[in-house]
Amino acid sequence: MLKYVYLICDRQGTLKHMNPEFISAAFLSFSLIFVGIGGGFLLLKLQGGEE
């Protein structure tokens, strides 16, 4: 999927000078951020249910 996104952006000329590694790192970073936010909400829900 990342290769497909890279090819679409490359055709538009927006990511001509960016490495695929940069796109992979950005995707991983956002994934980890969303996992952290989801885990935080889950912990808040669990703590709220105990009270």
mmCIF file of all heavy atoms in Angstrom:
data_model
loop_
_atom_site.group_PDB
_atom_site.id
_atom_site.type_symbol
_atom_site.label_atom_id
_atom_site.label_comp_id
_atom_site.label_asym_id
_atom_site.label_seq_id
_atom_site.Cartn_x
_atom_site.Cartn_y
_atom_site.Cartn_z
ATOM 1 N N MET A 1 0.825 -1.200 0.000
ATOM 2 C CA MET A 1 0.000 0.000 0.000
ATOM 3 C C MET A 1 0.863 1.255 0.000
ATOM 4 O O MET A 1 0.551 2.222 -0.670
ATOM 5 C CB MET A 1 -0.926 -0.007 1.210
ATOM 6 C CG MET A 1 -1.793 1.235 1.255
ATOM 7 S SD MET A 1 -3.051 1.099 2.533
ATOM 8 C CE MET A 1 -3.630 2.755 2.515
ATOM 9 N N LEU A 2 1.935 1.244 0.776
ATOM 10 C CA LEU A 2 2.797 2.424 0.809
ATOM 11 C C LEU A 2 3.431 2.682 -0.551
ATOM 12 O O LEU A 2 3.593 3.832 -0.946
ATOM 13 C CB LEU A 2 3.888 2.235 1.859
ATOM 14 C CG LEU A 2 3.420 2.274 3.306
ATOM 15 C CD1 LEU A 2 4.583 1.983 4.234
ATOM 16 C CD2 LEU A 2 2.813 3.623 3.635
ATOM 17 N N LYS A 3 3.748 1.605 -1.271
ATOM 18 C CA LYS A 3 4.310 1.776 -2.605
ATOM 19 C C LYS A 3 3.298 2.428 -3.525
ATOM 20 O O LYS A 3 3.641 3.298 -4.315
ATOM 21 C CB LYS A 3 4.742 0.416 -3.151
ATOM 22 C CG LYS A 3 5.467 0.494 -4.455
ATOM 23 C CD LYS A 3 5.932 -0.883 -4.894
ATOM 24 C CE LYS A 3 6.675 -0.805 -6.202
ATOM 25 N NZ LYS A 3 7.088 -2.128 -6.674
ATOM 26 N N TYR A 4 2.034 2.048 -3.408
ATOM 27 C CA TYR A 4 0.978 2.637 -4.224
ATOM 28 C C TYR A 4 0.816 4.117 -3.909
ATOM 29 O O TYR A 4 0.713 4.945 -4.805
ATOM 30 C CB TYR A 4 -0.331 1.885 -3.968
ATOM 31 C CG TYR A 4 -1.494 2.372 -4.785
ATOM 32 C CD1 TYR A 4 -1.514 2.196 -6.162
ATOM 33 C CD2 TYR A 4 -2.558 3.016 -4.183
ATOM 34 C CE1 TYR A 4 -2.574 2.643 -6.919
ATOM 35 C CE2 TYR A 4 -3.628 3.478 -4.937
ATOM 36 C CZ TYR A 4 -3.634 3.281 -6.304
ATOM 37 O OH TYR A 4 -4.682 3.737 -7.037
ATOM 38 N N VAL A 5 0.817 4.462 -2.609
ATOM 39 C CA VAL A 5 0.705 5.872 -2.214
ATOM 40 C C VAL A 5 1.893 6.657 -2.738
ATOM 41 O O VAL A 5 1.761 7.760 -3.227
ATOM 42 C CB VAL A 5 0.607 5.994 -0.673
ATOM 43 C CG1 VAL A 5 0.694 7.442 -0.241
ATOM 44 C CG2 VAL A 5 -0.687 5.376 -0.176
ATOM 45 N N TYR A 6 3.092 6.071 -2.650
ATOM 46 C CA TYR A 6 4.297 6.746 -3.127
ATOM 47 C C TYR A 6 4.224 6.997 -4.623
ATOM 48 O O TYR A 6 4.585 8.064 -5.094
ATOM 49 C CB TYR A 6 5.526 5.903 -2.787
ATOM 50 C CG TYR A 6 6.810 6.493 -3.279
ATOM 51 C CD1 TYR A 6 7.336 7.630 -2.686
ATOM 52 C CD2 TYR A 6 7.499 5.929 -4.349
ATOM 53 C CE1 TYR A 6 8.512 8.185 -3.142
ATOM 54 C CE2 TYR A 6 8.671 6.473 -4.812
ATOM 55 C CZ TYR A 6 9.186 7.599 -4.201
ATOM 56 O OH TYR A 6 10.341 8.156 -4.657
ATOM 57 N N LEU A 7 3.713 6.022 -5.380
ATOM 58 C CA LEU A 7 3.621 6.200 -6.830
ATOM 59 C C LEU A 7 2.619 7.279 -7.197
ATOM 60 O O LEU A 7 2.851 8.056 -8.107
ATOM 61 C CB LEU A 7 3.240 4.875 -7.500
ATOM 62 C CG LEU A 7 4.321 3.798 -7.498
ATOM 63 C CD1 LEU A 7 3.769 2.509 -8.075
ATOM 64 C CD2 LEU A 7 5.530 4.260 -8.286
ATOM 65 N N ILE A 8 1.490 7.348 -6.474
ATOM 66 C CA ILE A 8 0.504 8.389 -6.742
ATOM 67 C C ILE A 8 1.107 9.764 -6.470
ATOM 68 O O ILE A 8 0.998 10.685 -7.274
ATOM 69 C CB ILE A 8 -0.763 8.191 -5.885
ATOM 70 C CG1 ILE A 8 -1.521 6.959 -6.361
ATOM 71 C CG2 ILE A 8 -1.666 9.420 -5.948
ATOM 72 C CD1 ILE A 8 -2.692 6.589 -5.487
ATOM 73 N N CYS A 9 1.783 9.897 -5.330
ATOM 74 C CA CYS A 9 2.376 11.185 -4.978
ATOM 75 C C CYS A 9 3.516 11.526 -5.929
ATOM 76 O O CYS A 9 3.732 12.681 -6.238
ATOM 77 C CB CYS A 9 2.889 11.154 -3.539
ATOM 78 S SG CYS A 9 1.552 10.987 -2.337
ATOM 79 N N ASP A 10 4.249 10.512 -6.390
ATOM 80 C CA ASP A 10 5.366 10.754 -7.286
ATOM 81 C C ASP A 10 4.870 11.282 -8.627
ATOM 82 O O ASP A 10 5.490 12.134 -9.230
ATOM 83 C CB ASP A 10 6.169 9.473 -7.479
ATOM 84 C CG ASP A 10 7.490 9.742 -8.165
ATOM 85 O OD1 ASP A 10 8.051 10.833 -7.940
ATOM 86 O OD2 ASP A 10 7.961 8.872 -8.915
ATOM 87 N N ARG A 11 3.718 10.786 -9.088
ATOM 88 C CA ARG A 11 3.152 11.282 -10.336
ATOM 89 C C ARG A 11 2.757 12.751 -10.214
ATOM 90 O O ARG A 11 2.850 13.506 -11.165
ATOM 91 C CB ARG A 11 1.924 10.452 -10.724
ATOM 92 C CG ARG A 11 2.299 9.289 -11.609
ATOM 93 C CD ARG A 11 1.082 8.611 -12.138
ATOM 94 N NE ARG A 11 0.972 7.312 -11.472
ATOM 95 C CZ ARG A 11 -0.150 6.742 -11.140
ATOM 96 N NH1 ARG A 11 -1.294 7.336 -11.398
ATOM 97 N NH2 ARG A 11 -0.165 5.580 -10.554
ATOM 98 N N GLN A 12 2.321 13.136 -9.024
ATOM 99 C CA GLN A 12 1.935 14.536 -8.824
ATOM 100 C C GLN A 12 3.148 15.420 -8.592
ATOM 101 O O GLN A 12 3.041 16.629 -8.595
ATOM 102 C CB GLN A 12 0.990 14.642 -7.624
ATOM 103 C CG GLN A 12 -0.340 13.957 -7.858
ATOM 104 C CD GLN A 12 -1.195 13.927 -6.616
ATOM 105 O OE1 GLN A 12 -0.758 14.350 -5.554
ATOM 106 N NE2 GLN A 12 -2.403 13.435 -6.738
ATOM 107 N N GLY A 13 4.297 14.818 -8.367
ATOM 108 C CA GLY A 13 5.514 15.591 -8.195
ATOM 109 C C GLY A 13 5.730 16.082 -6.780
ATOM 110 O O GLY A 13 6.614 16.905 -6.543
ATOM 111 N N THR A 14 4.933 15.621 -5.820
ATOM 112 C CA THR A 14 5.069 16.142 -4.462
ATOM 113 C C THR A 14 6.146 15.420 -3.667
ATOM 114 O O THR A 14 6.748 16.005 -2.784
ATOM 115 C CB THR A 14 3.730 16.015 -3.705
ATOM 116 O OG1 THR A 14 3.298 14.670 -3.773
ATOM 117 C CG2 THR A 14 2.674 16.912 -4.328
ATOM 118 N N LEU A 15 6.410 14.152 -4.007
ATOM 119 C CA LEU A 15 7.372 13.379 -3.221
ATOM 120 C C LEU A 15 8.557 12.928 -4.074
ATOM 121 O O LEU A 15 9.134 11.880 -3.830
ATOM 122 C CB LEU A 15 6.680 12.154 -2.604
ATOM 123 C CG LEU A 15 5.643 12.445 -1.537
ATOM 124 C CD1 LEU A 15 5.006 11.140 -1.073
ATOM 125 C CD2 LEU A 15 6.268 13.151 -0.359
ATOM 126 N N LYS A 16 8.942 13.714 -5.047
ATOM 127 C CA LYS A 16 10.026 13.309 -5.937
ATOM 128 C C LYS A 16 11.345 13.148 -5.190
ATOM 129 O O LYS A 16 12.109 12.256 -5.472
ATOM 130 C CB LYS A 16 10.212 14.341 -7.051
ATOM 131 C CG LYS A 16 9.329 14.080 -8.242
ATOM 132 C CD LYS A 16 9.640 15.024 -9.359
ATOM 133 C CE LYS A 16 8.731 14.784 -10.539
ATOM 134 N NZ LYS A 16 8.906 15.791 -11.566
ATOM 135 N N HIS A 17 11.603 14.004 -4.216
ATOM 136 C CA HIS A 17 12.891 13.991 -3.543
ATOM 137 C C HIS A 17 12.842 13.261 -2.204
ATOM 138 O O HIS A 17 13.817 13.288 -1.473
ATOM 139 C CB HIS A 17 13.374 15.421 -3.336
ATOM 140 C CG HIS A 17 13.488 16.184 -4.610
ATOM 141 N ND1 HIS A 17 14.438 15.891 -5.573
ATOM 142 C CD2 HIS A 17 12.775 17.210 -5.105
ATOM 143 C CE1 HIS A 17 14.308 16.711 -6.594
ATOM 144 N NE2 HIS A 17 13.293 17.531 -6.343
ATOM 145 N N MET A 18 11.732 12.638 -1.862
ATOM 146 C CA MET A 18 11.629 11.935 -0.592
ATOM 147 C C MET A 18 11.918 10.451 -0.790
ATOM 148 O O MET A 18 11.552 9.861 -1.792
ATOM 149 C CB MET A 18 10.228 12.095 0.004
ATOM 150 C CG MET A 18 9.936 13.463 0.510
ATOM 151 S SD MET A 18 8.375 13.504 1.361
ATOM 152 C CE MET A 18 8.278 15.240 1.771
ATOM 153 N N ASN A 19 12.555 9.870 0.210
ATOM 154 C CA ASN A 19 12.864 8.445 0.155
ATOM 155 C C ASN A 19 11.650 7.637 0.608
ATOM 156 O O ASN A 19 10.886 8.098 1.449
ATOM 157 C CB ASN A 19 14.038 8.126 1.086
ATOM 158 C CG ASN A 19 15.312 8.764 0.604
ATOM 159 O OD1 ASN A 19 15.507 8.964 -0.591
ATOM 160 N ND2 ASN A 19 16.193 9.090 1.527
ATOM 161 N N PRO A 20 11.514 6.409 0.106
ATOM 162 C CA PRO A 20 10.437 5.537 0.615
ATOM 163 C C PRO A 20 10.603 5.242 2.098
ATOM 164 O O PRO A 20 9.631 4.998 2.792
ATOM 165 C CB PRO A 20 10.586 4.266 -0.220
ATOM 166 C CG PRO A 20 11.327 4.682 -1.438
ATOM 167 C CD PRO A 20 12.193 5.828 -1.037
ATOM 168 N N GLU A 21 11.856 5.263 2.590
ATOM 169 C CA GLU A 21 12.086 5.042 4.014
ATOM 170 C C GLU A 21 11.424 6.131 4.843
ATOM 171 O O GLU A 21 10.930 5.888 5.940
ATOM 172 C CB GLU A 21 13.579 4.992 4.326
ATOM 173 C CG GLU A 21 14.275 3.771 3.766
ATOM 174 C CD GLU A 21 14.746 3.974 2.338
ATOM 175 O OE1 GLU A 21 14.654 5.124 1.854
ATOM 176 O OE2 GLU A 21 15.188 2.997 1.716
ATOM 177 N N PHE A 22 11.432 7.358 4.341
ATOM 178 C CA PHE A 22 10.803 8.470 5.055
ATOM 179 C C PHE A 22 9.293 8.245 5.151
ATOM 180 O O PHE A 22 8.695 8.489 6.197
ATOM 181 C CB PHE A 22 11.092 9.781 4.321
ATOM 182 C CG PHE A 22 10.406 10.962 4.940
ATOM 183 C CD1 PHE A 22 10.924 11.549 6.073
ATOM 184 C CD2 PHE A 22 9.235 11.470 4.401
ATOM 185 C CE1 PHE A 22 10.293 12.635 6.657
ATOM 186 C CE2 PHE A 22 8.601 12.547 4.971
ATOM 187 C CZ PHE A 22 9.140 13.139 6.109
ATOM 188 N N ILE A 23 8.694 7.758 4.081
ATOM 189 C CA ILE A 23 7.256 7.501 4.085
ATOM 190 C C ILE A 23 6.935 6.368 5.057
ATOM 191 O O ILE A 23 5.962 6.436 5.809
ATOM 192 C CB ILE A 23 6.770 7.168 2.662
ATOM 193 C CG1 ILE A 23 7.004 8.373 1.751
ATOM 194 C CG2 ILE A 23 5.302 6.788 2.665
ATOM 195 C CD1 ILE A 23 6.757 8.095 0.299
ATOM 196 N N SER A 24 7.772 5.335 5.070
ATOM 197 C CA SER A 24 7.569 4.221 6.000
ATOM 198 C C SER A 24 7.692 4.692 7.441
ATOM 199 O O SER A 24 6.897 4.304 8.299
ATOM 200 C CB SER A 24 8.596 3.121 5.731
ATOM 201 O OG SER A 24 8.424 2.610 4.436
ATOM 202 N N ALA A 25 8.677 5.547 7.707
ATOM 203 C CA ALA A 25 8.868 6.054 9.062
ATOM 204 C C ALA A 25 7.694 6.925 9.484
ATOM 205 O O ALA A 25 7.231 6.851 10.630
ATOM 206 C CB ALA A 25 10.171 6.849 9.137
ATOM 207 N N ALA A 26 7.178 7.737 8.572
ATOM 208 C CA ALA A 26 6.031 8.587 8.900
ATOM 209 C C ALA A 26 4.795 7.738 9.173
ATOM 210 O O ALA A 26 4.049 7.995 10.131
ATOM 211 C CB ALA A 26 5.758 9.558 7.745
ATOM 212 N N PHE A 27 4.586 6.715 8.374
ATOM 213 C CA PHE A 27 3.442 5.819 8.576
ATOM 214 C C PHE A 27 3.549 5.103 9.919
ATOM 215 O O PHE A 27 2.574 5.008 10.664
ATOM 216 C CB PHE A 27 3.378 4.805 7.432
ATOM 217 C CG PHE A 27 2.225 3.856 7.536
ATOM 218 C CD1 PHE A 27 0.942 4.283 7.241
ATOM 219 C CD2 PHE A 27 2.427 2.546 7.922
ATOM 220 C CE1 PHE A 27 -0.131 3.413 7.336
ATOM 221 C CE2 PHE A 27 1.367 1.666 8.022
ATOM 222 C CZ PHE A 27 0.085 2.107 7.725
ATOM 223 N N LEU A 28 4.751 4.635 10.254
ATOM 224 C CA LEU A 28 4.962 3.957 11.526
ATOM 225 C C LEU A 28 4.738 4.920 12.688
ATOM 226 O O LEU A 28 4.128 4.559 13.688
ATOM 227 C CB LEU A 28 6.378 3.381 11.579
ATOM 228 C CG LEU A 28 6.759 2.654 12.859
ATOM 229 C CD1 LEU A 28 5.872 1.421 13.044
ATOM 230 C CD2 LEU A 28 8.216 2.244 12.820
ATOM 231 N N SER A 29 5.210 6.146 12.550
ATOM 232 C CA SER A 29 5.039 7.129 13.623
ATOM 233 C C SER A 29 3.560 7.417 13.883
ATOM 234 O O SER A 29 3.123 7.411 15.041
ATOM 235 C CB SER A 29 5.747 8.434 13.248
ATOM 236 O OG SER A 29 7.120 8.212 13.082
ATOM 237 N N PHE A 30 2.810 7.652 12.821
ATOM 238 C CA PHE A 30 1.383 7.934 13.013
ATOM 239 C C PHE A 30 0.645 6.714 13.559
ATOM 240 O O PHE A 30 -0.265 6.849 14.376
ATOM 241 C CB PHE A 30 0.744 8.397 11.702
ATOM 242 C CG PHE A 30 1.053 9.830 11.382
ATOM 243 C CD1 PHE A 30 1.817 10.157 10.276
ATOM 244 C CD2 PHE A 30 0.591 10.853 12.197
ATOM 245 C CE1 PHE A 30 2.110 11.480 9.983
ATOM 246 C CE2 PHE A 30 0.872 12.175 11.915
ATOM 247 C CZ PHE A 30 1.643 12.491 10.803
ATOM 248 N N SER A 31 1.059 5.530 13.126
ATOM 249 C CA SER A 31 0.436 4.312 13.656
ATOM 250 C C SER A 31 0.678 4.197 15.154
ATOM 251 O O SER A 31 -0.244 3.897 15.923
ATOM 252 C CB SER A 31 1.000 3.078 12.962
ATOM 253 O OG SER A 31 0.714 3.133 11.584
ATOM 254 N N LEU A 32 1.912 4.457 15.589
ATOM 255 C CA LEU A 32 2.228 4.373 17.006
ATOM 256 C C LEU A 32 1.496 5.443 17.809
ATOM 257 O O LEU A 32 1.072 5.200 18.939
ATOM 258 C CB LEU A 32 3.738 4.498 17.217
ATOM 259 C CG LEU A 32 4.556 3.295 16.757
ATOM 260 C CD1 LEU A 32 6.043 3.578 16.912
ATOM 261 C CD2 LEU A 32 4.167 2.058 17.534
ATOM 262 N N ILE A 33 1.325 6.621 17.226
ATOM 263 C CA ILE A 33 0.580 7.684 17.910
ATOM 264 C C ILE A 33 -0.869 7.248 18.128
ATOM 265 O O ILE A 33 -1.421 7.388 19.219
ATOM 266 C CB ILE A 33 0.653 8.998 17.108
ATOM 267 C CG1 ILE A 33 2.065 9.579 17.214
ATOM 268 C CG2 ILE A 33 -0.390 10.002 17.590
ATOM 269 C CD1 ILE A 33 2.321 10.739 16.287
ATOM 270 N N PHE A 34 -1.489 6.684 17.081
ATOM 271 C CA PHE A 34 -2.883 6.258 17.212
ATOM 272 C C PHE A 34 -3.027 5.093 18.178
ATOM 273 O O PHE A 34 -3.999 5.016 18.926
ATOM 274 C CB PHE A 34 -3.471 5.902 15.849
ATOM 275 C CG PHE A 34 -3.726 7.106 14.982
ATOM 276 C CD1 PHE A 34 -3.251 7.161 13.683
ATOM 277 C CD2 PHE A 34 -4.438 8.183 15.472
ATOM 278 C CE1 PHE A 34 -3.482 8.271 12.889
ATOM 279 C CE2 PHE A 34 -4.674 9.295 14.694
ATOM 280 C CZ PHE A 34 -4.192 9.349 13.401
ATOM 281 N N VAL A 35 -2.057 4.185 18.191
ATOM 282 C CA VAL A 35 -2.084 3.077 19.142
ATOM 283 C C VAL A 35 -1.960 3.618 20.563
ATOM 284 O O VAL A 35 -2.656 3.168 21.481
ATOM 285 C CB VAL A 35 -0.960 2.063 18.826
ATOM 286 C CG1 VAL A 35 -0.745 1.104 19.988
ATOM 287 C CG2 VAL A 35 -1.292 1.297 17.556
ATOM 288 N N GLY A 36 -1.097 4.608 20.760
ATOM 289 C CA GLY A 36 -0.940 5.211 22.083
ATOM 290 C C GLY A 36 -2.195 5.918 22.547
ATOM 291 O O GLY A 36 -2.596 5.797 23.720
ATOM 292 N N ILE A 37 -2.835 6.640 21.646
ATOM 293 C CA ILE A 37 -4.083 7.330 22.007
ATOM 294 C C ILE A 37 -5.168 6.314 22.339
ATOM 295 O O ILE A 37 -5.895 6.455 23.328
ATOM 296 C CB ILE A 37 -4.526 8.262 20.855
ATOM 297 C CG1 ILE A 37 -3.551 9.438 20.745
ATOM 298 C CG2 ILE A 37 -5.950 8.768 21.077
ATOM 299 C CD1 ILE A 37 -3.798 10.319 19.543
ATOM 300 N N GLY A 38 -5.272 5.268 21.527
ATOM 301 C CA GLY A 38 -6.269 4.221 21.794
ATOM 302 C C GLY A 38 -6.004 3.528 23.111
ATOM 303 O O GLY A 38 -6.939 3.260 23.881
ATOM 304 N N GLY A 39 -4.743 3.223 23.402
ATOM 305 C CA GLY A 39 -4.401 2.605 24.676
ATOM 306 C C GLY A 39 -4.709 3.516 25.852
ATOM 307 O O GLY A 39 -5.167 3.059 26.900
ATOM 308 N N GLY A 40 -4.480 4.807 25.674
ATOM 309 C CA GLY A 40 -4.795 5.761 26.739
ATOM 310 C C GLY A 40 -6.283 5.815 27.031
ATOM 311 O O GLY A 40 -6.696 5.825 28.203
ATOM 312 N N PHE A 41 -7.086 5.845 25.987
ATOM 313 C CA PHE A 41 -8.539 5.860 26.200
ATOM 314 C C PHE A 41 -9.025 4.559 26.834
ATOM 315 O O PHE A 41 -9.926 4.563 27.665
ATOM 316 C CB PHE A 41 -9.277 6.105 24.883
ATOM 317 C CG PHE A 41 -9.332 7.556 24.489
ATOM 318 C CD1 PHE A 41 -8.773 7.991 23.301
ATOM 319 C CD2 PHE A 41 -9.943 8.481 25.313
ATOM 320 C CE1 PHE A 41 -8.818 9.329 22.937
ATOM 321 C CE2 PHE A 41 -9.996 9.818 24.969
ATOM 322 C CZ PHE A 41 -9.425 10.245 23.779
ATOM 323 N N LEU A 42 -8.400 3.448 26.437
ATOM 324 C CA LEU A 42 -8.779 2.158 27.042
ATOM 325 C C LEU A 42 -8.448 2.145 28.531
ATOM 326 O O LEU A 42 -9.255 1.700 29.344
ATOM 327 C CB LEU A 42 -8.041 1.025 26.316
ATOM 328 C CG LEU A 42 -8.348 -0.391 26.817
ATOM 329 C CD1 LEU A 42 -9.831 -0.704 26.562
ATOM 330 C CD2 LEU A 42 -7.473 -1.390 26.117
ATOM 331 N N LEU A 43 -7.275 2.667 28.889
ATOM 332 C CA LEU A 43 -6.910 2.731 30.319
ATOM 333 C C LEU A 43 -7.857 3.647 31.083
ATOM 334 O O LEU A 43 -8.235 3.338 32.222
ATOM 335 C CB LEU A 43 -5.462 3.196 30.461
ATOM 336 C CG LEU A 43 -4.393 2.169 30.104
ATOM 337 C CD1 LEU A 43 -3.014 2.796 30.178
ATOM 338 C CD2 LEU A 43 -4.478 0.981 31.036
ATOM 339 N N LEU A 44 -8.212 4.763 30.489
ATOM 340 C CA LEU A 44 -9.151 5.672 31.171
ATOM 341 C C LEU A 44 -10.498 4.999 31.375
ATOM 342 O O LEU A 44 -11.131 5.149 32.431
ATOM 343 C CB LEU A 44 -9.341 6.952 30.344
ATOM 344 C CG LEU A 44 -8.207 7.973 30.419
ATOM 345 C CD1 LEU A 44 -8.475 9.103 29.453
ATOM 346 C CD2 LEU A 44 -8.057 8.498 31.835
ATOM 347 N N LYS A 45 -10.934 4.243 30.360
ATOM 348 C CA LYS A 45 -12.223 3.542 30.485
ATOM 349 C C LYS A 45 -12.162 2.477 31.573
ATOM 350 O O LYS A 45 -13.098 2.320 32.369
ATOM 351 C CB LYS A 45 -12.589 2.910 29.144
ATOM 352 C CG LYS A 45 -13.950 2.281 29.126
ATOM 353 C CD LYS A 45 -14.318 1.756 27.757
ATOM 354 C CE LYS A 45 -15.692 1.144 27.769
ATOM 355 N NZ LYS A 45 -16.066 0.589 26.480
ATOM 356 N N LEU A 46 -11.050 1.749 31.637
ATOM 357 C CA LEU A 46 -10.894 0.725 32.663
ATOM 358 C C LEU A 46 -10.825 1.329 34.070
ATOM 359 O O LEU A 46 -11.416 0.822 35.012
ATOM 360 C CB LEU A 46 -9.633 -0.104 32.399
ATOM 361 C CG LEU A 46 -9.701 -1.050 31.202
ATOM 362 C CD1 LEU A 46 -8.340 -1.703 30.979
ATOM 363 C CD2 LEU A 46 -10.760 -2.098 31.393
ATOM 364 N N GLN A 47 -10.126 2.437 34.192
ATOM 365 C CA GLN A 47 -10.033 3.090 35.500
ATOM 366 C C GLN A 47 -11.378 3.671 35.912
ATOM 367 O O GLN A 47 -11.748 3.624 37.070
ATOM 368 C CB GLN A 47 -8.995 4.201 35.475
ATOM 369 C CG GLN A 47 -7.576 3.669 35.436
ATOM 370 C CD GLN A 47 -6.559 4.790 35.389
ATOM 371 O OE1 GLN A 47 -6.917 5.952 35.236
ATOM 372 N NE2 GLN A 47 -5.292 4.435 35.513
ATOM 373 N N GLY A 48 -12.118 4.199 34.963
ATOM 374 C CA GLY A 48 -13.435 4.762 35.262
ATOM 375 C C GLY A 48 -14.429 3.686 35.648
ATOM 376 O O GLY A 48 -15.329 3.915 36.448
ATOM 377 N N GLY A 49 -14.284 2.482 35.079
ATOM 378 C CA GLY A 49 -15.215 1.399 35.387
ATOM 379 C C GLY A 49 -14.996 0.814 36.761
ATOM 380 O O GLY A 49 -15.910 0.245 37.352
ATOM 381 N N GLU A 50 -13.794 0.961 37.316
ATOM 382 C CA GLU A 50 -13.502 0.389 38.634
ATOM 383 C C GLU A 50 -14.104 1.230 39.763
ATOM 384 O O GLU A 50 -14.348 0.731 40.825
ATOM 385 C CB GLU A 50 -12.002 0.253 38.825
ATOM 386 C CG GLU A 50 -11.389 -0.808 37.931
ATOM 387 C CD GLU A 50 -9.877 -0.863 38.067
ATOM 388 O OE1 GLU A 50 -9.331 -0.055 38.837
ATOM 389 O OE2 GLU A 50 -9.255 -1.701 37.407
ATOM 390 N N GLU A 51 -14.259 2.504 39.499
ATOM 391 C CA GLU A 51 -14.739 3.395 40.582
ATOM 392 C C GLU A 51 -16.227 3.225 40.860
ATOM 393 O O GLU A 51 -16.993 2.919 40.022
ATOM 394 C CB GLU A 51 -14.463 4.848 40.231
ATOM 395 C CG GLU A 51 -12.965 5.144 40.211
ATOM 396 C CD GLU A 51 -12.719 6.586 39.800
ATOM 397 O OE1 GLU A 51 -13.694 7.330 39.535
ATOM 398 O OE2 GLU A 51 -11.556 6.959 39.731
#
